[in-house]
Amino acid sequence: MVVGGSGVDTVVRVDSLPVPLADSVGVGPIREWPGHTGGNVALGCRALGLDVKFLDFIGDDWTGGQVRERLTKGGVDFEVLISPAGTRRAVNLVDRTGRRMSFYDGRDPADLRMPRDSYLPHLRRARHVHLSITNFARFLYDDIESLGVPASTDLHDWDGLSDYHRDFALRSDLVFLSAAGAGERIASVMREILREGRAEAVIATAGAGGSYLMTRQGSRTPRPIPATIPPAPVVDSNGAGDAYVCGFLYGRLAGLDLEACARMGAVAGAYACTSGGNEALIGPDALVTSKLKTLRK
């Protein structure tokens, strides 16, 4: 079960980041990619053969229609709630190497809440729930904990200081975040999440630098997990972190140990970089085969 975080990315390809200061800059074709973090996780898990129930607010607008169409195409069981504020959007500048800079329009009202009767029946049947850091999703934690359903979240570029992310960081069993947000403090942020919260493991992704795994029972030093070389040239890093989450969760639901799950995440993340948006979704056979190849090296 995935909750929250769908929307539409407008992707603008530029020569380099930051872009030059100018009144007008010529760019290549501008593309629209429905997905965002929650939608990408739902699509990626479904591509791996997992049954996925996705719940989210979107607008009754043309961007919401794009989201519905993409999730339907990907075979995701999407239960829609209508937000009066419309569908979330982002404009992403992507350079020649696949690096991006994202301008995010979350637009959800602060008082937006998901009715219990819309999620509770699905939560009772779920093996695992992944919460995007949309504000309304934090209010599901009491029911998640009461039912004993394992939960994960992605804090993205959390610096370890912003209070907005803290509920998600301390009330999830698996916590993903980008190493870029906290910089040199990332190890201490990972330790704090384990010390103060309920997490079994914290995983920090670092793009081409691989990822880092820290567990409750393991060392206080993050364990490096090497990056996987993409099977084709890198086109776009949008969605790579979401694909990493999908690969990790697939391994976890299959009963693999945490390091094996992180290696699966690395494979799925690398695969996602070889196409624009969320078009490169790895399947279960390719994921397992590629993971075995990385272990033999």
Side-chain angles (χ1 to χ4, degrees):
M1 177 173 163
V2 180
V3 178
S6 65
V8 174
D9 287 320
T10 299
V11 178
V12 182
R13 297 198 171 276
V14 297
D15 289 334
S16 61
L17 291 172
V19 296
L21 183 61
D23 180 67
S24 178
V25 177
V27 298
I30 296 174
R31 300 290 304 274
E32 301 277 357
W33 296 105
H36 277 203
T37 182
N40 288 342
V41 170
L43 287 163
C45 287
R46 186 71 194 103
L48 286 167
L50 300 174
D51 291 330
V52 179
K53 182 70 177 184
F54 181 41
L55 291 85
D56 195 15
F57 287 95
I58 60 172
D60 185 16
D61 47 29
W62 71 273
T63 44
Q66 286 185 291
V67 173
R68 289 175 187 255
E69 182 179 354
R70 178 66 185 96
L71 290 164
T72 298
K73 178 183 175 184
V76 172
D77 182 3
F78 183 24
E79 185 157 321
V80 173
L81 293 89
I82 298 299
S83 170
T87 305
R88 304 172 203 95
R89 302 196 65 181
V91 175
N92 299 327
L93 305 184
V94 181
D95 72 8
R96 291 179 181 271
T97 69
R99 293 187 310 126
R100 71 163 186 170
M101 184 174 185
S102 182
F103 300 84
Y104 177 61
D105 172 10
R107 76 173 56 198
D108 288 340
D111 61 353
L112 188 66
R113 298 289 184 272
M114 185 168 282
R116 289 184 83 226
D117 60 3
S118 70
Y119 69 80
L120 208 51
H122 307 298
L123 187 58
R124 290 192 175 110
R125 295 194 296 270
R127 294 175 61 199
H128 185 94
V129 58
H130 181 80
L131 299 181
S132 302
I133 54 171
T134 46
N135 186 57
F136 64 80
R138 75 175 74 245
F139 298 99
L140 275 66
Y141 274 114
D142 286 347
D143 286 318
I144 289 169
E145 292 172 7
S146 175
L147 292 169
V149 181
S152 58
T153 194
D154 187 345
L155 307 177
H156 301 286
D157 60 349
W158 188 42
D159 59 4
L161 303 174
S162 169
D163 284 339
Y164 178 89
H165 300 71
R166 198 163 296 278
D167 281 342
F168 297 95
L170 302 186
R171 301 187 73 177
S172 298
D173 301 281
L174 296 173
V175 177
F176 301 86
L177 73 165
S178 167
E184 295 180 354
R185 298 174 41 254
I186 188 61
S188 63
V189 171
M190 294 172 77
R191 282 191 288 268
E192 179 185 356
I193 292 171
L194 289 171
R195 183 179 66 251
E196 303 294 333
R198 58 176 291 162
E200 175 189 8
V202 181
I203 306 95
T205 55
S211 57
Y212 298 90
L213 172 67
M214 189 179 290
T215 65
R216 183 170 294 279
Q217 305 302 326
S219 168
R220 297 296 87 185
T221 301
R223 185 186 319 165
I225 305 296
T228 297
I229 298 174
V234 172
V235 173
D236 186 353
S237 62
N238 282 296
D242 302 324
Y244 185 107
V245 170
C246 295
F248 193 106
L249 294 180
Y250 178 85
R252 195 60 180 154
L253 290 170
L256 301 183
D257 65 71
L258 291 166
E259 183 166 344
C261 294
R263 291 181 181 275
M264 280 192 156
V267 169
Y271 193 92
C273 293
T274 62
S275 183
N278 50 31
E279 291 299 299
L281 300 175
I282 196 168
D285 293 341
L287 178 63
V288 173
T289 300
S290 299
K291 184 248 183 183
L292 290 174
K293 287 179 179 178
T294 63
L295 290 176
R296 293 191 190 109
K297 293 180 179 180

